[in-house]
Amino acid sequence: MQIVIINSNATELYVIHKILYQIKDIIYYYMSASENVRYIKIQKIGEGAYGIIYKAQDVQTEEIVALKKFKLSDNEGVPSCALREISILNQLNHPNIIKLISQIIINKKLHLVMNYYDMDLTEYLKFNHEEFHLKNIIYKILLAVEFIHNRKIIHRDLQPNNILITNNEPVLIDFGLSRVLSPNMTPGVTQLWYRAPELLSNCNTYDYAIDMWSLGCIIAEIALNKPLFMGSSEIHQLLLIKNIINGNEWFLHNSQFAKLNNLFIDLINVCISLEFLEIIIS
Amino acid sequence: MFDQAQLTELSKRDKDKKLNFQLPLYIGNSQGVCRRDILVQWVIQQSQKFEHSIKTLELAVIYIDTYLNFFNIEPEFLELLGISAYSMASKFNETEAIGQIKLKDDFGKVLYEDQVYNEMEVQLLQSLDFQLNHVTPSDYLIAMGISINESISSLIMFVLMD
């Protein structure tokens, strides 16, 4: 009789142990899950050479975020654009620059978690807006670019697609191509329509001026509601720039600019500096 | 040209790196040479094969010191740390990406598996808190208007080793 009781006790203990172990496993599973599945991917937003961007939801705070996943190539390890983007974004804390919430590693792949906004400047300009909103956007973009230049960083990829708009306030994104100023840099950066003449002529000792050129193009685009130079190749782009900007008072000959305020034209003129172009032409 | 504004900006950005130099790797043996100095010397030697700027080297040494303060490392992985730090610095600072540098021994056999390099890079990133952008001595020199020639860069290398 007694033996039976002991036996039953043993089996009971065994069963309890097993259940406890199962509970422990389940708890561990969910603990690890909260790390790995903290962000649920909703849809793919964009794709580039660096990797894929997803719209995702944070399970803990139910916030919508953007997840940027980097491809890991065999020979390179962590890609250089990821290294630069993380280091640079961590140093920038400004209301008009995208905030890097965290960086996580899921399945040995590096993911950046950032705020999500659904409208960029190109889409924003398709609708009509009040003039003071547009002025505010231009002003805030200039402030943000001044902020990054003060920290010796060049963005190198300024274009309307990389400026998001939320509540009529601009936010600069995509620092994948940006880097710290150094004496020697690659000329193949920035989208063609916004590329400065020094880049088009394959110069590798440029500085902050290339960002200012892109800004000039963007400001002109906000004012005219269409891109200023729409080249199809590097040579075509240079020709377009040369045709539109000839001489110091180029905007007087161009009917597009007739309706604009003089001060505004001055601003564009300062950004689209002619100094370098004159060197090429001569 | 001596640029005062740039200098003050640099020293504002330059954070004091809290490094503990009392670790076993920093304490010299009977001849007064410590493992960390040997490692840095080896990295400098390897870096001569590439024509990279001196800043890359300075960054690599900062990464190595940060990692050594953060993790305990087995002696056989010291070379891996050195080469990973150097390839990360070159990826961050150089124009043309060289990718990961793989080590081979004298007989052409690989020293570490490919997977190990990736793990090392991730660990290094974590120890650095994903921050690769640091102010280095050569930044100050450029701000002071001193052109970095061969003798200056060998002087910097000498400082790095100590």
Side-chain angles (χ1 to χ4, degrees), chain A residues 130-163:
Chain A
E130 303 268 344
E131 198 183 311
F132 72 91
H133 279 322
L134 295 178
K135 278 183 183 166
N136 179 41
I137 286 176
I138 293 174
Y139 178 63
K140 291 287 170 58
I141 295 173
L142 285 170
L143 280 187
V145 172
E146 189 201 7
F147 181 83
I148 57 175
H149 285 180
N150 274 342
R151 276 152 187 76
K152 286 193 91 183
I153 292 162
I154 316 182
H155 186 287
R156 304 205 297 179
D157 199 12
L158 283 172
Q159 49 165 305
N161 289 336
N162 283 341
I163 297 170

Side-chain angles (χ1 to χ4, degrees), chain A residues 74-78 80 83-84 86-87 90-91 103 105 108 110 150 152 179-180 184-186, chain B residues 6 9 13 88 91-95 99-100 102 115 118 121-122 125-126 129-133:
Chain A
D74 292 339
N75 282 323
E76 214 196 347
V78 183
S80 55
L83 295 178
R84 287 177 188 171
I86 298 170
S87 324
N90 271 335
Q91 284 186 334
Q103 57 291 105
I105 292 156
K108 292 181 183 169
L110 188 63
N150 274 342
K152 286 193 91 183
R179 65 159 298 157
V180 181
N184 186 16
M185 294 180 282
T186 330
Chain B
Q6 210 182 341
E9 194 268 336
R13 274 198 302 145
M88 291 239 296
K91 270 194 279 186
F92 181 73
N93 192 42
E94 289 299 323
T95 316
Q100 274 173 334
K102 303 272 156 91
Q115 192 55 40
N118 289 342
E121 284 199 353
V122 171
L125 270 178
Q126 281 167 345
D129 204 13
F130 291 89
Q131 183 53 261
L132 299 181
N133 192 3

Side-chain angles (χ1 to χ4, degrees), chain A residues 233-244:
Chain A
S233 67
E234 293 187 4
I235 298 294
H236 186 210
Q237 182 79 9
L238 262 181
L239 279 176
L240 280 179
I241 293 171
K242 198 181 148 227
N243 282 341
I244 292 186

Side-chain angles (χ1 to χ4, degrees), chain B:
Chain B
M1 190 187 65
F2 196 88
D3 192 341
Q4 189 60 46
Q6 210 182 341
L7 271 177
T8 40
E9 194 268 336
L10 275 177
S11 58
K12 208 171 71 193
R13 274 198 302 145
D14 197 358
K15 287 185 219 81
D16 194 23
K17 293 157 199 93
K18 289 179 187 64
L19 295 175
N20 171 17
F21 292 110
Q22 299 305 315
L23 294 168
L25 282 166
Y26 288 91
I27 294 167
N29 58 9
S30 51
Q31 278 109 39
V33 192
C34 70
R35 299 295 292 268
R36 180 256 179 204
D37 287 356
I38 297 173
L39 174 65
V40 171
Q41 200 173 11
W42 179 78
V43 171
I44 291 175
Q45 197 188 344
Q46 300 299 315
S47 71
Q48 299 304 310
K49 291 171 193 156
F50 312 99
E51 287 176 353
H52 285 164
S53 67
I54 188 77
K55 192 176 174 187
T56 311
L57 202 55
E58 290 169 305
L59 286 174
V61 175
I62 291 177
Y63 301 163
I64 291 172
D65 278 336
T66 321
Y67 185 91
L68 290 179
N69 270 273
F70 204 81
F71 288 114
N72 264 331
I73 187 166
E74 298 289 321
E76 68 256 34
F77 287 116
L78 274 176
E79 286 178 334
L80 175 68
L81 167 67
I83 217 70
S84 291
Y86 191 77
S87 52
M88 291 239 296
S90 71
K91 270 194 279 186
F92 181 73
N93 192 42
E94 289 299 323
T95 316
E96 270 146 51
I98 45 163
Q100 274 173 334
I101 308 161
K102 303 272 156 91
L103 286 176
K104 285 179 179 168
D105 64 5
D106 294 344
F107 309 105
K109 245 170 51 184
V110 286
L111 272 176
Y112 310 101
E113 298 288 317
D114 285 1
Q115 192 55 40
V116 184
Y117 288 96
N118 289 342
E119 280 169 21
M120 189 68 199
E121 284 199 353
V122 171
Q123 267 189 21
L124 199 53
L125 270 178
Q126 281 167 345
S127 72
L128 287 160
D129 204 13
F130 291 89
Q131 183 53 261
L132 299 181
N133 192 3
H134 292 283
V135 178
T136 62
S138 65
D139 286 341
Y140 287 101
L141 289 180
I142 291 170
M144 288 193 293
I146 297 167
S147 67
I148 294 185
N149 53 25
E150 212 162 287
S151 60
I152 297 280
S153 51
S154 54
L155 207 64
I156 295 176
M157 284 178 203
F158 183 73
V159 174
L160 286 179
M161 258 188 276
D162 200 21

